[in-house]
Amino acid sequence: MPGPSPGLRRALRGLWAALGLGLVGLSAVAQEPFWADLQPRVALVERGGSLWLNCSTNCPRPERGGLETSLRRNGTQRGLRWLARQLVDIREPETQPVCFFRCARRTLQARGLIRTFQRPDRIELMPLPTWQPVGENFTLSCRVPGAGPRGSLTMTLLRGTQELIRRSFSGESPRARGAVLTATVLARREDHGANFSCRAELDLRSHGLGLFENSSAPRMLRTFALSPEPPRLTAPRLLEVGSERPVSCSLDKLFPASEARVYLALGDQRLSPDITLEGDALRATATATASAEQEGVTQLFCNMTLGGESREIWENVTVYSFPAPFLTLSEPSVPEGKMVTVTCAAGARALVTLDGIPAVAPGQPAQLQLNATVNDDKRGFVCEATLEVDGEILSKNESTELRVLYAPRLDDSDCPRSWTWPEGPEQTLRCEAHGNPAPSVHCARPDGGAVLALGLLGPITRALAGTYRCIATNAQGEAVKDITLTVEYAPALDSVGCPERITWLEGTEASLSCVAHGVPPPNVSCVRSGEAEVIEGLLHVAREHAGTYRCEATNARGSAAKNVAITVEYGPSFEELSCPSNWTWVEGSGQLFSCEVDGKPQPRVECVGSRGTSDRVLLPLAPSDPSPRAPSIPSELASGIYTCNATNRHGSMVKMVAVSVESPPKMDESTCPSHQTWLEGAEAAELACAALGRPSPQVSCSREGGSWPQRLHVSRQDAGTYLCLATNTHGTDARTITVGVEYRPVVAELAASPPGGVRPGGNFTLTCRAEAWPPAQISWRAPPGALNIGLSSNNSTLSVAGALGSHGGEYECAATNAHGRHARRITVRVAGPWLWVAVGSAVGGAVLLAAGAGLAFYVQSTACKKGEYNVQEAESSGEAVCLNGAGSGTGGNASAQGGTEPDGTAETPAGGEVFSIQLTSA
């Protein structure tokens, strides 16, 4: 059994609510009215569907209850105050079930309403006419059986997708089912082939259901238009047996023309027409052939059918028989002078005429006799027959030709004695002979040479010119004739008769003549380019005759022109401008001596040293034009006198050339060192800078970035960068010089840190800074017995960690370079409590003894003087300490905790060493 529907579940929820109300108490029940309820009260169910109804009451103890309905029931569920029942196969359009309960001697009732709906599953569009005339109305009818309720139904008639009519049936009775929609539509041409359909919509969305749609199958409409006029028939009035004649049948205002059917017949013979459509016009064309059985009057019939309607037309055609006439010759070919008979005949009803002479009567032949002559050869005869058919005179002709045999004849009109043709275009050589049979003509040179190709199209060449003998031959005899062929052609100037280049020698006599080929012989004239005067006769050759001349040859067939270049040659000659007598070669310039010599052909020039350092040395020459094999540019060249010799095939000439060699300024490391060093305080001097070059360059130097004041002695301010310029007539060379100024060392600063002195066990540092160039080497001298002393990497800093009384005293810092030595001293005091004084007194004696021994050792120690003493060894032995670092650096001031003394400075010779120590206590 299926589960309860949503309506049943709502009924059960109402039932539980009622039970809850019953639990309030019987006293409350006695005070409230009792009722019966039916859920759902109103329902819409698809036809044939099912529905659960719930019948309930608030009566605490109903006596009995039930549900009254005419519908079929499938199941029932009961409670104390409720009843649920399923109704199935609901088909009635509308029914009203009643829920009742008996309570306190009263009957409680609740009435419901159940309505059914049916989807538009079937939509029937009535059939359309097979053919519908354009401009007439037709009816569209559509029915939807059983669908409803009708009040929710909407129907639409459509042409394609276009709505023609739409109707809603709202307001109809809820019990009404099914609907019919009818419309009258005017048929149009564009409706031909259009689909018509019907659509139904059942809208139940207001009842919580959906929109149900359906459409009918489309029906296609065929429309037509047929003119009331009959077709037009085009046919011959007379038709000969066995002949083919075209016939046609056409009709306008026919739609759709492609759907029309055509029937075309000649008597009982159906024709097969070709259909041609042009818009709304149809044309049927066929070929009619009449047979002998149809001779006489026959009917030609045409019928056109469209949309069940027909249009037809017919005409009478007369079929007749008319054979062609017969024309005969007694002999088709006869010798000259023989008699010939010509006969013309036709059918029984025809009248014949031979060359304009009629026969005696219809059906009788016509004849003609003649004596054949040359003029009758190829003479034509015409036989004409006439026949009357249906009042119309018809005619037919037959012709033939007579051949007369005779010997060949060569006439000047057809085979001229002299031919003149232009060269080039294709021509057909014709030498025609008269004769029968047709003679063969052969034309050849009398000496058995070339043969003319008569009757063939071919090019005319000069080789065809000459005299030919032509012979015409046939079976009746032969004819002979001599002809002359002349071929004319335009002038031609070739390299033999008129060379492109002509060379003359200056001082000789020459003439400019060009020979041209051509028929007829051409006339030749030559003029200089740009001038109008014609060159004629002998010329005394000079250089000005060189140039380009234009020679032109002219005859009746055309003209030819040619440029002739005249070259005048002459011996070599020197010009001072193109080959100077004095030449200066500048080293590094890349120049070559240019010696251009006038002469034709171009002379060969060679310059060879003749005196001095240039003896037998070739002087490289600049080429007259760019050449991949140009001589290499020399890096050196000897000065002196060179002999230049110019030679061509017409002679030679000599010229002396003096060559001098110069060079631009040049400075290098050897003449102008890039780094120079001066000593401070020395007498001021100039920069050591010179330059090579010819002529000798002038050298001037200036300081970069500032002025260079003149001083008597060198100072440190003279250090810097200088620019030296060397100049002569061939250029300038520049060189940058860096000047360094060296000076003696000076200990500029000696300082102690901390500056106020140091307590025993404290730390202190001495810093020494020196000024010197080249940089100075720093060395230290400490009090004897000073232990645990450390130095920085460049000896500029001396440091002590955990100072003792032995560290108190005088320290000296010395700076040394190649130009001298300078030293400064500083006293360090180490002071502390009296306890340290007592201890210091006990230790002091030992220290003094050790200091004495250390001093003696120091004086004797060479290693100490060289700054190589090992500080660690001094600490362990208690000897005096000498600190002389190997590096360069700066020093500083030192102080001790118990107070400081003023610094002492001293300049001592390099190697001098002084030890001083002072122990004090606070």
Side-chain angles (χ1 to χ4, degrees):
M1 178 177 177
S5 65
L8 176 59
R9 288 194 291 270
R10 289 194 298 269
L12 292 176
R13 285 196 296 269
L15 175 62
W16 288 110
L19 293 176
L21 293 174
L23 296 177
V24 175
L26 294 176
S27 59
V29 173
Q31 298 175 3
E32 294 182 3
F34 298 125
W35 43 258
D37 183 35
L38 180 63
Q39 292 294 333
R41 185 65 62 91
V42 178
L44 185 63
V45 183
E46 187 170 6
R47 187 172 184 271
S50 60
L51 176 68
W52 279 90
L53 290 179
N54 179 60
C55 180
S56 60
T57 181
N58 64 345
C59 179
R61 294 185 176 275
E63 299 175 8
R64 62 186 180 90
L67 181 63
E68 294 182 354
T69 179
S70 61
L71 301 178
R72 289 177 53 193
R73 292 166 289 182
N74 188 36
T76 303
Q77 297 180 7
R78 290 180 176 275
L80 177 62
R81 289 182 293 176
W82 62 275
L83 169 68
R85 181 166 293 164
Q86 184 185 28
L87 306 180
V88 298
D89 194 21
I90 305 174
R91 294 184 176 273
E92 295 183 16
E94 184 177 294
T95 183
Q96 294 184 354
V98 177
C99 168
F100 67 92
F101 284 95
R102 186 71 177 172
C103 180
R105 299 181 182 180
R106 290 177 55 205
T107 300
L108 307 176
Q109 287 186 350
R111 188 177 300 272
L113 177 61
I114 300 176
R115 289 175 177 166
T116 60
F117 72 91
Q118 183 172 343
R119 307 186 189 200
D121 294 330
R122 284 177 52 207
I123 301 179
E124 300 175 358
L125 181 63
M126 297 299 103
L128 301 178
T130 305
W131 283 96
Q132 176 65 32
V134 172
E136 296 184 10
N137 291 328
F138 66 97
T139 301
L140 280 177
S141 179
C142 178
R143 60 186 296 266
V144 186
R150 187 184 301 164
S152 300
L153 195 62
T154 301
M155 294 180 65
T156 307
L157 292 175
L158 301 100
R159 178 196 292 118
T161 59
Q162 177 191 2
E163 292 186 359
L164 297 177
I165 184 171
R166 180 182 179 89
R167 180 181 175 186
S168 173
F169 294 90
S170 60
E172 294 278 345
S173 168
R175 302 181 62 88
R177 296 292 186 271
V180 176
L181 179 61
T182 301
T184 299
V185 181
L186 180 65
R188 306 173 303 170
R189 289 169 61 102
E190 53 268 29
D191 290 337
H192 180 69
N195 287 321
F196 290 82
S197 61
C198 177
R199 184 176 67 225
E201 302 171 4
L202 184 64
D203 191 356
L204 300 178
R205 288 175 290 187
S206 60
H207 300 282
L209 299 175
L211 175 66
F212 302 98
E213 296 180 289
N214 197 9
S215 297
S216 69
R219 294 186 181 273
M220 188 176 70
L221 179 66
R222 301 168 71 190
T223 62
F224 76 98
L226 184 61
S227 172
E229 300 296 328
R232 297 184 302 277
L233 188 61
T234 303
R237 191 171 62 85
L238 304 177
L239 182 61
E240 186 178 2
V241 173
S243 65
E244 294 183 350
R245 298 291 298 277
V247 296
S248 65
C249 181
S250 59
L251 183 63
D252 297 335
K253 299 180 182 179
L254 192 68
F255 173 81
S258 59
E259 300 284 346
R261 298 293 176 262
V262 180
Y263 176 81
L264 189 61
L266 177 63
D268 296 334
Q269 177 189 359
R270 181 168 183 174
L271 305 181
S272 299
D274 293 329
I275 306 300
T276 303
L277 302 178
E278 186 174 347
D280 290 345
L282 182 147
R283 180 182 177 86
T285 305
T287 300
T289 304
S291 62
E293 293 79 8
Q294 293 176 316
E295 191 170 353
V297 178
T298 303
Q299 192 178 73
L300 181 64
F301 178 77
C302 175
N303 176 278
M304 292 192 182
T305 303
L306 177 63
E309 297 184 13
S310 297
R311 302 290 185 268
E312 61 184 33
I313 190 173
W314 58 270
E315 286 185 6
N316 288 332
V317 176
T318 301
V319 178
Y320 66 94
S321 178
F322 184 18
F326 299 97
L327 179 61
T328 59
L329 298 174
S330 58
E331 290 185 49
S333 297
V334 297
E336 185 179 7
K338 189 174 182 179
M339 293 299 295
V340 177
T341 300
V342 183
T343 303
C344 173
R349 295 187 299 121
L351 178 65
V352 297
T353 302
L354 178 59
D355 277 359
I357 301 174
V360 177
Q364 297 294 321
Q367 285 188 339
L368 177 66
Q369 287 187 335
L370 57 94
N371 187 10
T373 65
V374 173
N375 294 331
D376 292 327
D377 185 37
K378 298 184 180 179
R379 177 181 174 182
F381 298 92
V382 177
C383 174
E384 181 181 12
T386 58
L387 178 67
E388 182 180 357
V389 178
D390 197 16
E392 185 175 340
I393 303 298
L394 306 178
S395 66
K396 287 189 176 182
N397 295 328
E398 184 69 25
S399 63
T400 190
E401 188 178 78
L402 175 64
R403 301 303 306 273
V404 179
L405 304 177
Y406 59 95
R409 297 176 185 178
L410 290 170
D411 299 331
D412 288 344
S413 59
D414 297 320
C415 186
R417 295 182 182 275
S418 178
W419 293 342
T420 300
W421 281 337
E423 181 185 33
E426 291 187 338
Q427 301 285 349
T428 301
L429 303 177
R430 297 187 183 277
C431 180
E432 297 179 350
H434 297 285
N436 195 16
S440 62
V441 182
H442 179 76
C443 296
R445 292 186 188 272
D447 57 2
V451 177
L452 290 180
L454 298 176
L456 298 178
L457 182 65
I460 302 302
T461 63
R462 302 175 193 182
L464 294 177
T467 301
Y468 295 83
R469 175 160 290 179
C470 296
I471 301 175
T473 306
N474 69 1
Q476 305 298 319
E478 70 175 22
V480 178
K481 189 176 187 178
D482 289 337
I483 65 171
T484 300
L485 175 59
T486 301
V487 178
E488 294 185 350
Y489 51 92
L493 294 168
D494 57 18
S495 298
V496 177
C498 189
E500 291 83 0
R501 297 182 180 277
I502 299 176
T503 301
W504 293 341
L505 181 60
E506 186 181 29
T508 64
E509 289 186 346
S511 63
L512 178 57
S513 61
C514 271
V515 178
H517 303 283
V519 176
N523 179 34
V524 182
S525 62
C526 297
V527 297
R528 187 164 187 164
S529 296
E531 298 180 4
E533 183 180 357
V534 177
I535 305 299
E536 295 178 338
L538 288 175
L539 300 174
H540 185 74
V541 178
R543 298 185 189 183
E544 55 266 21
H545 288 142
T548 301
Y549 294 78
R550 185 160 185 87
C551 296
E552 184 173 7
T554 307
N555 68 3
R557 290 299 175 186
S559 63
K562 187 174 187 179
N563 288 333
V564 178
I566 301 294
T567 302
V568 177
E569 295 188 350
Y570 47 89
S573 63
F574 287 100
E575 297 290 341
E576 183 63 23
L577 289 178
S578 59
C579 188
S581 301
N582 294 283
W583 182 62
T584 299
W585 180 75
V586 179
E587 181 182 355
S589 64
Q591 293 179 339
L592 293 174
F593 181 58
S594 175
C595 185
E596 296 182 359
V597 181
D598 190 17
K600 280 191 182 298
Q602 181 66 37
R604 179 177 177 273
V605 183
E606 185 179 62
C607 295
V608 181
S610 58
R611 293 197 302 274
T613 58
S614 61
D615 193 20
R616 303 309 302 167
V617 175
L618 285 176
L619 179 63
L621 300 178
S624 58
D625 54 351
S627 171
R629 301 182 61 183
S632 59
I633 298 173
S635 59
E636 295 183 359
L637 189 66
S639 60
I641 304 299
Y642 289 81
T643 300
C644 295
N645 188 2
T647 305
N648 67 6
R649 59 174 172 260
H650 301 300
S652 64
M653 182 167 281
V654 175
K655 182 174 185 177
M656 309 302 290
V657 177
V659 177
S660 60
V661 178
E662 295 185 356
S663 60
K666 181 178 181 182
M667 295 185 292
D668 56 17
E669 193 67 27
S670 62
T671 62
C672 187
S674 59
H675 291 81
Q676 300 186 24
T677 302
W678 293 345
L679 180 61
E680 184 180 35
E683 186 177 349
E686 297 291 335
L687 285 171
C689 200
L692 301 177
R694 186 178 299 173
S696 297
Q698 297 292 328
V699 180
S700 62
C701 299
S702 61
R703 184 165 184 171
E704 289 187 351
S707 61
W708 186 12
Q710 297 295 326
R711 298 186 179 89
L712 296 178
H713 296 88
V714 176
S715 69
R716 300 183 190 180
Q717 286 75 21
D718 293 332
T721 302
Y722 294 79
L723 179 64
C724 292
L725 299 177
T727 306
N728 68 4
T729 57
H730 299 299
T732 302
D733 189 19
R735 189 168 177 84
T736 301
I737 311 299
T738 301
V739 174
V741 176
E742 297 185 352
Y743 46 88
R744 298 178 181 84
V746 174
V747 177
E749 180 182 3
L750 181 61
S753 177
V758 63
R759 297 173 61 86
N763 302 332
F764 68 90
T765 300
L766 301 182
T767 302
C768 181
R769 181 176 64 83
E771 296 179 355
W773 193 262
Q777 293 184 353
I778 304 297
S779 62
W780 291 89
R781 187 172 60 202
L787 308 177
N788 196 22
I789 294 176
L791 295 176
S792 62
S793 60
N794 60 358
N795 287 356
S796 63
T797 302
L798 181 150
S799 59
V800 173
L804 301 175
S806 59
H807 292 110
E810 188 177 69
Y811 290 79
E812 181 184 84
C813 171
T816 306
N817 69 1
H819 302 297
R821 180 179 184 277
H822 182 255
R824 290 184 66 176
R825 300 181 181 87
I826 188 171
T827 300
V828 176
R829 296 183 180 182
V830 179
W834 290 109
L835 176 62
W836 292 102
V837 175
V839 174
S841 300
V843 178
V847 171
L848 290 177
L849 293 176
L855 180 60
F857 180 81
Y858 173 77
V859 173
Q860 299 173 2
S861 174
T862 304
C864 182
K865 291 181 180 180
K866 295 182 178 180
E868 299 173 354
Y869 190 80
N870 189 311
V871 177
Q872 298 301 325
E873 294 178 358
E875 290 176 353
S876 61
S877 63
E879 298 173 341
V881 179
C882 174
L883 302 176
N884 184 19
S888 64
T890 59
N893 298 323
S895 62
Q897 183 176 352
T900 60
E901 294 182 357
D903 295 345
T905 62
E907 286 194 25
T908 61
E913 298 179 3
V914 178
F915 278 89
S916 174
I917 188 167
Q918 179 177 354
L919 299 178
T920 61
S921 59

